[in-house]
Amino acid sequence: MYEQQSHFLLNNILDQLKPEIRRRDLRHFYTRLGANFYAIHSLFHRLYGQREDFEEQLLRLVSVMAGQYIARSDELKALDASRERDHLWFLSQEWVGMALYLDGFAGDLHGLDERVPYLQELGVNMVHVMPILECPRGASDGGYAVNNFRDIDDRAGTLEDLRTLGSDLRRRNMLLTLDVVVNHTSDEHEWARRARQGEQRYQDYYYVFANRDIPDLFEQSMPEVFPETAPGNFTFDEAMNKWVMTVFNTYQWDLNYTNPAVFIEMLDIILFWANQGADILRLDAVAFLWKKIGTTSQNEREAHLILQLFKDCCQVTAPGVLFIAEAIVAPVEIIKYFGEDAVIAKECEIAYNATFMALLWDALATHNAKLLNQSISNLPDKLDRATWLNYVRCHDDIGLGFDDADIRAVGYDPAAHRRFILDYYTGSWADSPARGQAFGRNEKTGDARISGTLASLVGLEAALAAGDADEVQRSIDQILLLHSLILSFGGIPLLYYGDELGTLNNYAYSVDPAKTQDNRWLHRPAYDWQRAELRHQRGSVEQRIFDGLKQLIAVRKSLPALADFNNRELIDVGNPHLFVFTRNDLASPQESVLVVANFSDFPEQFDLNDLRNRGRFTVGELRDAVSGASPEQFNEQLVIPANGFYWLMCSPY
Ligand code: OTU
């Protein structure tokens, strides 16, 4: 019954499309629309079906999809078609990403174009350029407060520059990732300005309230994202004389997705950026898309429906384009952003593996992999056509997002353990070489997160200051150890700009009034390209890190076992310092890889016989794929150096 209704509606809509749309050759569009319409209609109906103008809104939705399909270039349409044929393309081990701030890395889009060879030298072939849209001149949350979703900030360049960069990257078989900040706009966005001028239509784009009644109800259960600098979730706007919901900073107004006009506008914007040549769109803060009184207003069911609807619509207009879910939430919640009850991703194909990231930092601070092993073995398998974005650092703080039950299961008290991790990385723990700072400390909950660059967090800053060569070496070993894991775990590794050179904290941010309140700027470096040249100087810190990573990346690309087909198996070798797993090459099992990582400051060992006896492997002549050498052994004991790792070629039975 229902499908018939949706077919009837679709035919009606097609009849009503404007003649200029109908006249075009839309064959592929119609095929995909036909295939997806039942889902689109159902989702749109679940979200907005109670409205009288529902059908009118649905017509607008389809018109937007058709309009952007018409605007899509032939080159991108051809890419869509080839990716439909090879629809698991992004699971390949050949992809290696880097996230960067354009101004800090290269100044502007021209500069970035010139620096592409540098990225290629390292082996990076996916570039995530963080927000470059028009944004406020002062504080803009690093561009995550957007003034205009359809134009590049003039400090970064022009739309034309972006399209040039996009086609340059395509020519080099590299991918472009751009952000779409779907949850909020800046208070300078035209919608916000018109809301302020009293236009009801635009006040309805946001959550605007005449008094504190509803805000107070929300506040009873909503946590605070930036408790120190933007406490509470609402801001009083003088011009409107009303309260507006601002979950992040006071100048970031949350969009109201109960209004279908907002959904349609944002879909149009998503498709617009797909049409500018983005291969992947990072959807920012997706956990926050739906607000409900009495809840945390994160991970709500409707937030998932919105994402599914974005995906279904994008699949019609620009099916080659992937979504990254940026949902830095609890482990069991993150995985839902691939889409629940599905075999292949029906929301976002890629999700930040914030769980793994936080666990890596835990392992480093504790010198053991207990919580890492425990938590990863508890994670459900991801869907088939979906993959993780694995990272060590990004432009944000490190949140200690592990599960309390897992912490208890390995014998720690959750509160005390989190306090220890925080003390360790902020350097207040006696034995800690880390130089991080606490971010987002919440006096009410005792919660806090961590800022600082990878190099400063692992102790390179302290080691260089002390002139301690051993400690310098240890920091470098740890930088490579962490990367060896994000490069082998399964998923797309996302390096963070500056980490490949061991960039230390940038304290200069504190003199900039637009940044001084936000210590995440510690780890958002401005490149010193002179220093980057040191990567060519043998023995320099920069060379040791850069070449180490370059080697790891090259080896990753050569090992099909490292592609992401749910082909990972965790192995308990009975040594808590070690994190061990296999990556099975499904096509040629003898090319499988045994990944072994040692988080201890001392050499560690495990018994290879044990593995053999358990009938899991034939490990004959051992060879480390990274160094090409045979690892040290004493009888059957495999020896792993302090903070060392191996990618061993092996054959599981
Ligand atoms: C994202 O952050 C961005 O990555 C941040 O740079 C922005 O400040 C923020 O959105 C607002 O646009 O929303 O789903 O703990 O991890 O705010 C998680 C802080 C987010 C960030 C969190 C994150």
Side-chain angles (χ1 to χ4, degrees):
M1 262 327 264
Y2 207 66
E3 280 189 62
Q4 289 182 11
Q5 189 191 334
S6 112
H7 294 161
F8 170 75
L9 243 175
L10 176 57
N11 280 326
N12 257 346
I13 285 174
L14 296 179
D15 286 342
Q16 288 178 67
L17 287 176
K18 296 204 182 83
E20 64 268 28
I21 295 182
R22 272 190 284 159
R23 239 176 283 124
R24 310 295 285 246
D25 172 16
L26 300 182
R27 194 165 55 89
H28 291 295
F29 177 77
Y30 287 143
T31 315
R32 292 174 188 141
L33 184 61
N36 284 284
F37 192 71
Y38 177 68
I40 291 173
H41 172 223
S42 308
L43 288 164
F44 203 65
H45 193 266
R46 274 196 62 184
L47 289 164
Y48 307 116
Q50 77 294 355
R51 293 174 60 107
E52 276 183 8
D53 63 350
F54 171 73
E55 290 190 19
E56 200 181 303
Q57 297 289 351
L58 190 59
L59 169 64
R60 286 188 47 216
L61 182 76
V62 175
S63 304
V64 159
M65 284 153 58
Q68 292 291 4
Y69 179 79
I70 291 168
R72 193 157 175 80
S73 74
D74 288 342
E75 188 191 355
L76 294 177
K77 283 178 181 160
L79 202 58
D80 288 334
S82 80
R83 287 181 181 164
E84 277 181 328
R85 267 194 304 278
D86 178 19
H87 67 284
L88 300 179
W89 64 276
F90 61 97
L91 305 182
S92 160
Q93 78 285 359
E94 81 185 71
W95 301 114
V96 176
M98 179 183 275
L100 51 88
Y101 268 111
L102 182 68
D103 53 351
F105 182 72
D108 58 14
L109 286 166
H110 283 295
L112 178 54
D113 227 354
E114 283 163 23
R115 295 295 180 194
V116 169
Y118 172 83
L119 298 174
Q120 286 188 299
E121 180 187 333
L122 186 60
V124 166
N125 51 16
M126 188 270 247
V127 192
H128 171 205
V129 184
M130 278 183 285
I132 48 173
L133 303 192
E134 273 177 31
C135 66
R137 291 276 135 176
S140 69
D141 193 15
Y144 283 97
V146 176
N147 286 3
N148 175 1
F149 285 115
R150 291 175 194 272
D151 209 355
I152 305 279
D153 198 283
D154 53 22
R155 289 164 287 188
T158 65
L159 264 181
E160 192 48 42
D161 296 338
L162 183 78
R163 282 190 293 260
T164 308
L165 174 71
S167 51
D168 252 21
L169 293 177
R170 265 194 301 288
R171 234 197 347 272
R172 297 167 189 257
N173 195 25
M174 294 172 76
L175 303 173
L176 176 62
T177 301
L178 295 177
D179 277 271
V180 182
V181 185
V182 283
N183 179 68
H184 43 263
T185 73
S186 82
D187 60 355
E188 295 179 12
H189 190 286
E190 191 199 337
W191 303 336
R193 279 194 285 112
R194 294 177 70 168
R196 278 187 161 142
Q197 284 159 9
E199 280 189 54
Q200 190 59 45
R201 175 174 170 199
Y202 290 103
Q203 291 195 359
D204 291 345
Y205 272 41
Y206 302 98
Y207 294 96
V208 172
F209 303 102
N211 59 48
R212 283 290 313 186
D213 288 351
I214 295 173
D216 284 345
L217 282 171
F218 267 113
E219 291 291 15
Q220 287 175 15
S221 54
M222 275 175 95
E224 296 170 312
V225 179
F226 300 135
E228 293 164 309
T229 51
N233 289 284
F234 295 85
T235 301
F236 186 71
D237 185 77
E238 302 278 346
M240 284 194 295
N241 196 29
K242 287 181 180 171
W243 293 89
V244 58
M245 186 185 284
T246 54
V247 169
F248 294 90
N249 288 295
T250 55
Y251 52 83
Q252 287 165 304
W253 290 19
D254 285 69
L255 285 164
N256 181 351
Y257 279 89
T258 65
N259 178 354
V262 167
F263 180 87
I264 294 169
E265 294 262 22
M266 295 313 290
L267 175 69
D268 199 21
I269 287 158
I270 286 175
L271 298 177
F272 174 81
W273 289 104
N275 283 350
Q276 304 310 308
D279 299 282
I280 304 178
L281 294 172
R282 172 192 183 275
L283 305 184
D284 183 59
V286 288
F288 295 82
L289 290 179
W290 197 267
K291 319 304 201 260
K292 207 175 279 173
I293 289 175
T295 72
T296 59
S297 294
Q298 291 182 33
N299 308 311
E300 283 301 313
R301 186 76 204 123
E302 289 83 351
H304 289 282
L305 300 181
I306 288 167
L307 290 168
Q308 286 169 26
L309 190 53
F310 276 147
K311 184 78 267 182
D312 283 331
C313 295
C314 188
Q315 232 142 41
V316 174
T317 299
V321 172
L322 306 178
F323 289 168
I324 300 177
E326 194 256 350
I328 313 303
V329 292
V332 289
E333 294 295 338
I334 296 184
I335 199 145
K336 295 181 187 166
Y337 288 88
F338 293 130
E340 275 182 282
D341 314 320
V343 181
I344 61 167
K346 61 174 181 183
E347 288 185 26
C348 299
E349 292 89 348
I350 309 173
Y352 275 77
N353 199 348
T355 311
F356 187 45
M357 180 276 300
L359 289 166
L360 289 176
W361 287 104
D362 187 273
L364 208 69
T366 57
H367 302 296
N368 74 62
K370 281 194 275 185
L371 188 58
L372 176 58
N373 275 306
Q374 164 73 20
S375 308
I376 294 297
S377 56
N378 270 351
L379 272 192
D381 264 0
K382 58 160 191 59
L383 304 181
D384 284 348
R385 191 176 170 271
T387 198
W388 292 113
L389 201 66
N390 293 316
Y391 63 111
V392 176
R393 281 305 282 119
C394 73
H395 69 291
D396 282 330
D397 45 287
I398 300 170
L400 306 180
F402 2 88
D403 195 82
D404 281 356
D406 285 331
I407 302 181
R408 279 192 209 99
V410 295
Y412 305 127
D413 168 67
H417 187 65
R418 287 170 202 278
R419 211 174 315 118
F420 160 71
I421 300 292
L422 189 71
D423 287 349
Y424 183 89
Y425 286 113
T426 54
S428 40
W429 187 260
D431 285 335
S432 166
R435 289 286 177 274
Q437 292 182 12
F439 176 81
R441 209 183 264 284
N442 187 331
E443 298 303 342
K444 286 167 252 171
T445 61
D447 182 47
R449 286 111 73 187
I450 299 153
S451 280
T453 66
L454 166 61
S456 290
L457 290 175
V458 300
L460 184 60
E461 188 177 328
L464 289 171
D468 185 332
D470 290 342
E471 282 296 299
V472 168
Q473 187 56 49
R474 186 179 95 128
S475 317
I476 294 175
D477 290 343
Q478 292 189 337
I479 290 173
L480 296 176
L481 171 68
L482 294 175
H483 280 92
S484 80
L485 289 168
I486 63 162
L487 281 152
S488 62
F489 186 74
I492 303 174
L494 185 73
L495 280 67
Y496 183 61
Y497 82 122
D499 287 349
E500 80 287 7
L501 296 168
T503 304
L504 306 180
N505 285 343
N506 175 8
Y507 297 97
Y509 83 94
S510 63
V511 298
D512 181 340
K515 296 177 177 164
T516 184
Q517 300 239 41
D518 188 341
N519 67 20
R520 289 177 299 173
W521 288 99
L522 272 178
H523 55 259
R524 295 172 176 179
Y527 262 50
D528 175 351
W529 284 99
Q530 215 92 53
R531 198 171 75 80
E533 283 303 305
L534 293 175
R535 74 186 184 278
H536 301 303
Q537 189 177 301
R538 265 203 75 77
S540 71
V541 168
E542 291 78 6
Q543 180 267 326
R544 282 142 77 194
I545 298 172
F546 191 94
D547 283 351
L549 290 179
K550 184 174 161 178
Q551 167 77 357
L552 278 173
I553 291 170
V555 174
R556 165 186 161 92
K557 290 182 182 178
S558 74
L559 295 172
L562 300 186
D564 192 18
F565 292 100
N566 280 333
N567 48 338
R568 176 185 51 248
E569 196 188 335
L570 232 56
I571 297 186
D572 179 5
V573 293
N575 180 334
H577 302 288
L578 302 178
F579 184 50
V580 181
F581 56 90
T582 53
R583 299 303 318 282
N584 301 325
D585 187 329
L586 304 173
S588 34
Q590 69 285 1
E591 299 288 298
S592 294
V593 177
L594 179 69
V595 176
V596 185
N598 179 10
F599 283 95
S600 164
D601 273 337
F602 302 95
E604 292 293 333
Q605 56 77 29
F606 72 90
D607 195 330
L608 282 168
N609 253 337
D610 204 32
L611 275 190
R612 292 194 187 102
N613 290 343
R614 277 189 281 167
R616 302 278 266 288
F617 298 97
T618 49
V619 199
E621 176 77 34
L622 283 182
R623 189 176 62 84
D624 174 27
V626 180
S627 62
S630 299
E632 200 175 343
Q633 261 177 272
F634 181 76
N635 295 333
E636 289 306 310
Q637 312 293 109
L638 176 72
V639 179
I640 308 99
N643 297 299
F645 63 90
Y646 295 127
W647 291 355
L648 299 171
M649 303 310 296
C650 69
S651 318
Y653 281 131

